[in-house]
Amino acid sequence: VFIMGYSNGAQMAMRVALEAPETVAAIAAVSANLPVADNSVCGHRDTPVAVLMMDGTADPVNPFKGGEVRLGKLGSRGMVMSTEETASYWAMLAGYVGEAETDTLPHRDPADPTSVNVWDWHEPTMKPVIVFAIQGGGHVVPNPHFKFPAMLGPVTGDLDAPQTIWRFFNSTLTSR
């Protein structure tokens, strides 16, 4: 089973991976981070899962550097870890020590104000953890085809989330 979620759906994907890791081959979480300990009701099995994350540094809902998740007039949804802390947690569960390998995706459109950095933990016998940190990106699913409402922030054209997520999921099948 693969689980891909966006925003609250990404929170759900992470919760399943924490509470029932044996049921999933991999998850992809877009525009969400793990809640801080005192805002979490998740049980933790401390079992590694293959994880892909995509978070924007200018996300007006899910703060890239951690903090309070706010949904406009709907108010606070509590506090979350930063993207870096969330990724480091998954990497630690998978057994990685040290920093991720880093890279930058090619920039396709000079008019696009975003760019994409990649943090990648991978070893042949370990569960991969990959983060696409969208510099200047908003609370959106990255893709070159569809634009979200402006209030959610910029969408990068440098990353096609559905294709990238499927390639990630497919790679976990061949590395098992």
Side-chain angles (χ1 to χ4, degrees):
V1 172
F2 300 117
I3 303 174
M4 181 279 173
Y6 162 66
S7 194
N8 278 347
Q11 290 278 333
M12 184 271 309
M14 288 189 276
R15 184 171 185 174
V16 172
L18 290 171
E19 294 185 349
E22 69 283 352
T23 66
V24 296
I27 66 165
V30 179
S31 296
N33 294 324
L34 286 170
V36 297
D38 65 353
N39 186 39
S40 180
V41 296
C42 297
H44 290 246
R45 300 274 295 282
D46 294 333
T47 301
V49 173
V51 175
L52 180 142
M53 296 172 55
M54 296 178 177
D55 285 344
T57 63
D59 188 326
V61 177
N62 178 70
F64 187 84
K65 292 185 180 222
E68 185 177 27
V69 174
R70 295 203 57 82
L71 294 175
K73 293 179 182 179
L74 297 175
S76 177
R77 294 296 184 244
M79 304 294 282
V80 293
M81 296 179 189
S82 70
T83 299
E84 183 176 354
E85 290 168 320
T86 300
S88 294
Y89 177 79
W90 292 114
M92 179 271 308
L93 280 183
Y96 295 102
V97 289
E99 300 294 316
E101 291 181 19
T102 60
D103 199 3
T104 301
L105 295 184
H107 195 55
R108 297 179 181 175
D109 179 1
D112 180 350
T114 67
S115 62
V116 182
N117 296 332
V118 183
W119 310 336
D120 185 353
W121 289 268
H122 67 278
E123 293 293 333
T125 61
M126 299 166 76
K127 302 286 186 182
V129 176
I130 301 173
V131 177
F132 292 88
I134 298 97
Q135 304 303 309
H139 193 75
V140 297
V141 177
N143 76 91
H145 311 292
F146 177 78
K147 298 300 176 202
F148 283 71
M151 66 186 231
L152 294 176
V155 178
T156 187
D158 293 342
L159 178 63
D160 188 326
Q163 286 184 357
T164 301
I165 291 166
W166 172 245
R167 278 194 307 270
F168 175 74
F169 286 165
N170 194 45
S171 75
T172 65
L173 292 175
T174 58
S175 66
R176 294 169 64 163

mmCIF file of all heavy atoms in Angstrom, residues 55-76:
data_model
loop_
_atom_site.group_PDB
_atom_site.id
_atom_site.type_symbol
_atom_site.label_atom_id
_atom_site.label_comp_id
_atom_site.label_asym_id
_atom_site.label_seq_id
_atom_site.Cartn_x
_atom_site.Cartn_y
_atom_site.Cartn_z
ATOM 1 N N ASP A 55 7.638 20.250 0.608
ATOM 2 C CA ASP A 55 7.172 21.393 1.401
ATOM 3 C C ASP A 55 7.729 22.688 0.830
ATOM 4 O O ASP A 55 8.898 22.749 0.419
ATOM 5 C CB ASP A 55 7.640 21.278 2.860
ATOM 6 C CG ASP A 55 6.856 20.255 3.667
ATOM 7 O OD1 ASP A 55 5.768 19.848 3.231
ATOM 8 O OD2 ASP A 55 7.326 19.879 4.742
ATOM 9 N N GLY A 56 6.897 23.726 0.835
ATOM 10 C CA GLY A 56 7.306 25.048 0.367
ATOM 11 C C GLY A 56 7.790 25.924 1.511
ATOM 12 O O GLY A 56 7.205 25.919 2.595
ATOM 13 N N THR A 57 8.841 26.689 1.259
ATOM 14 C CA THR A 57 9.386 27.577 2.292
ATOM 15 C C THR A 57 8.495 28.786 2.544
ATOM 16 O O THR A 57 8.633 29.437 3.571
ATOM 17 C CB THR A 57 10.804 28.071 1.920
ATOM 18 O OG1 THR A 57 10.738 28.848 0.717
ATOM 19 C CG2 THR A 57 11.764 26.907 1.751
ATOM 20 N N ALA A 58 7.590 29.091 1.616
ATOM 21 C CA ALA A 58 6.673 30.229 1.783
ATOM 22 C C ALA A 58 5.238 29.745 1.976
ATOM 23 O O ALA A 58 4.286 30.442 1.614
ATOM 24 C CB ALA A 58 6.780 31.161 0.579
ATOM 25 N N ASP A 59 5.076 28.579 2.560
ATOM 26 C CA ASP A 59 3.753 27.997 2.795
ATOM 27 C C ASP A 59 3.027 28.828 3.846
ATOM 28 O O ASP A 59 3.492 28.947 4.983
ATOM 29 C CB ASP A 59 3.919 26.549 3.278
ATOM 30 C CG ASP A 59 2.620 25.789 3.382
ATOM 31 O OD1 ASP A 59 1.574 26.402 3.713
ATOM 32 O OD2 ASP A 59 2.643 24.569 3.168
ATOM 33 N N PRO A 60 1.860 29.425 3.509
ATOM 34 C CA PRO A 60 1.137 30.246 4.480
ATOM 35 C C PRO A 60 0.312 29.435 5.490
ATOM 36 O O PRO A 60 -0.245 30.009 6.427
ATOM 37 C CB PRO A 60 0.218 31.099 3.599
ATOM 38 C CG PRO A 60 -0.058 30.229 2.416
ATOM 39 C CD PRO A 60 1.222 29.438 2.197
ATOM 40 N N VAL A 61 0.247 28.127 5.334
ATOM 41 C CA VAL A 61 -0.548 27.272 6.220
ATOM 42 C C VAL A 61 0.363 26.421 7.100
ATOM 43 O O VAL A 61 0.273 26.441 8.322
ATOM 44 C CB VAL A 61 -1.511 26.368 5.405
ATOM 45 C CG1 VAL A 61 -2.287 25.434 6.323
ATOM 46 C CG2 VAL A 61 -2.446 27.214 4.560
ATOM 47 N N ASN A 62 1.222 25.634 6.484
ATOM 48 C CA ASN A 62 2.130 24.715 7.183
ATOM 49 C C ASN A 62 3.524 25.351 7.201
ATOM 50 O O ASN A 62 4.214 25.359 6.185
ATOM 51 C CB ASN A 62 2.173 23.370 6.442
ATOM 52 C CG ASN A 62 3.132 22.395 7.075
ATOM 53 O OD1 ASN A 62 2.885 21.885 8.159
ATOM 54 N ND2 ASN A 62 4.236 22.118 6.395
ATOM 55 N N PRO A 63 3.958 25.884 8.334
ATOM 56 C CA PRO A 63 5.232 26.612 8.359
ATOM 57 C C PRO A 63 6.446 25.699 8.149
ATOM 58 O O PRO A 63 6.655 24.747 8.892
ATOM 59 C CB PRO A 63 5.264 27.261 9.738
ATOM 60 C CG PRO A 63 4.292 26.490 10.561
ATOM 61 C CD PRO A 63 3.285 25.892 9.628
ATOM 62 N N PHE A 64 7.223 26.003 7.122
ATOM 63 C CA PHE A 64 8.405 25.231 6.760
ATOM 64 C C PHE A 64 9.380 25.131 7.932
ATOM 65 O O PHE A 64 9.984 24.095 8.162
ATOM 66 C CB PHE A 64 9.090 25.898 5.554
ATOM 67 C CG PHE A 64 10.228 25.115 4.972
ATOM 68 C CD1 PHE A 64 9.991 24.112 4.048
ATOM 69 C CD2 PHE A 64 11.536 25.392 5.328
ATOM 70 C CE1 PHE A 64 11.034 23.383 3.494
ATOM 71 C CE2 PHE A 64 12.588 24.670 4.785
ATOM 72 C CZ PHE A 64 12.335 23.666 3.865
ATOM 73 N N LYS A 65 9.515 26.195 8.687
ATOM 74 C CA LYS A 65 10.447 26.220 9.819
ATOM 75 C C LYS A 65 9.782 25.797 11.125
ATOM 76 O O LYS A 65 10.355 25.942 12.197
ATOM 77 C CB LYS A 65 11.064 27.608 9.961
ATOM 78 C CG LYS A 65 11.973 27.934 8.803
ATOM 79 C CD LYS A 65 12.692 29.237 8.980
ATOM 80 C CE LYS A 65 13.561 29.469 7.773
ATOM 81 N NZ LYS A 65 14.846 29.974 8.091
ATOM 82 N N GLY A 66 8.593 25.240 11.022
ATOM 83 C CA GLY A 66 7.875 24.804 12.210
ATOM 84 C C GLY A 66 7.074 25.937 12.816
ATOM 85 O O GLY A 66 7.258 27.099 12.487
ATOM 86 N N GLY A 67 6.153 25.570 13.686
ATOM 87 C CA GLY A 67 5.317 26.578 14.330
ATOM 88 C C GLY A 67 3.849 26.230 14.192
ATOM 89 O O GLY A 67 3.473 25.068 14.029
ATOM 90 N N GLU A 68 3.030 27.263 14.223
ATOM 91 C CA GLU A 68 1.588 27.078 14.255
ATOM 92 C C GLU A 68 0.992 26.933 12.851
ATOM 93 O O GLU A 68 1.236 27.769 11.984
ATOM 94 C CB GLU A 68 0.932 28.270 14.955
ATOM 95 C CG GLU A 68 -0.549 28.131 15.147
ATOM 96 C CD GLU A 68 -1.142 29.305 15.915
ATOM 97 O OE1 GLU A 68 -0.580 30.420 15.855
ATOM 98 O OE2 GLU A 68 -2.160 29.098 16.586
ATOM 99 N N VAL A 69 0.210 25.882 12.657
ATOM 100 C CA VAL A 69 -0.543 25.695 11.422
ATOM 101 C C VAL A 69 -1.814 26.517 11.549
ATOM 102 O O VAL A 69 -2.577 26.341 12.499
ATOM 103 C CB VAL A 69 -0.880 24.204 11.185
ATOM 104 C CG1 VAL A 69 -1.798 24.039 9.979
ATOM 105 C CG2 VAL A 69 0.393 23.397 11.014
ATOM 106 N N ARG A 70 -2.017 27.423 10.587
ATOM 107 C CA ARG A 70 -3.193 28.285 10.630
ATOM 108 C C ARG A 70 -3.973 28.155 9.338
ATOM 109 O O ARG A 70 -3.395 28.171 8.261
ATOM 110 C CB ARG A 70 -2.801 29.733 10.848
ATOM 111 C CG ARG A 70 -2.165 29.951 12.213
ATOM 112 C CD ARG A 70 -2.260 31.381 12.702
ATOM 113 N NE ARG A 70 -3.591 31.925 12.779
ATOM 114 C CZ ARG A 70 -4.454 31.745 13.776
ATOM 115 N NH1 ARG A 70 -4.128 30.987 14.796
ATOM 116 N NH2 ARG A 70 -5.633 32.309 13.766
ATOM 117 N N LEU A 71 -5.288 28.040 9.471
ATOM 118 C CA LEU A 71 -6.171 27.937 8.309
ATOM 119 C C LEU A 71 -7.086 29.151 8.239
ATOM 120 O O LEU A 71 -8.302 29.050 8.380
ATOM 121 C CB LEU A 71 -7.006 26.654 8.377
ATOM 122 C CG LEU A 71 -6.224 25.355 8.258
ATOM 123 C CD1 LEU A 71 -7.141 24.163 8.458
ATOM 124 C CD2 LEU A 71 -5.540 25.281 6.908
ATOM 125 N N GLY A 72 -6.496 30.314 8.062
ATOM 126 C CA GLY A 72 -7.277 31.543 7.929
ATOM 127 C C GLY A 72 -8.266 31.735 9.056
ATOM 128 O O GLY A 72 -7.920 31.636 10.231
ATOM 129 N N LYS A 73 -9.527 31.955 8.695
ATOM 130 C CA LYS A 73 -10.578 32.189 9.682
ATOM 131 C C LYS A 73 -10.917 30.945 10.500
ATOM 132 O O LYS A 73 -11.570 31.033 11.526
ATOM 133 C CB LYS A 73 -11.839 32.706 9.000
ATOM 134 C CG LYS A 73 -11.660 34.090 8.417
ATOM 135 C CD LYS A 73 -12.909 34.554 7.724
ATOM 136 C CE LYS A 73 -12.664 35.926 7.120
ATOM 137 N NZ LYS A 73 -13.824 36.432 6.400
ATOM 138 N N LEU A 74 -10.477 29.776 10.019
ATOM 139 C CA LEU A 74 -10.718 28.544 10.771
ATOM 140 C C LEU A 74 -9.776 28.420 11.961
ATOM 141 O O LEU A 74 -9.963 27.563 12.817
ATOM 142 C CB LEU A 74 -10.583 27.320 9.862
ATOM 143 C CG LEU A 74 -11.597 27.238 8.728
ATOM 144 C CD1 LEU A 74 -11.292 26.052 7.834
ATOM 145 C CD2 LEU A 74 -13.015 27.151 9.268
ATOM 146 N N GLY A 75 -8.735 29.250 11.981
ATOM 147 C CA GLY A 75 -7.856 29.313 13.141
ATOM 148 C C GLY A 75 -6.761 28.276 13.175
ATOM 149 O O GLY A 75 -6.397 27.660 12.179
ATOM 150 N N SER A 76 -6.253 28.068 14.375
ATOM 151 C CA SER A 76 -5.090 27.229 14.612
ATOM 152 C C SER A 76 -5.410 25.743 14.540
ATOM 153 O O SER A 76 -6.459 25.294 15.001
ATOM 154 C CB SER A 76 -4.501 27.543 15.985
ATOM 155 O OG SER A 76 -3.417 26.692 16.257
#
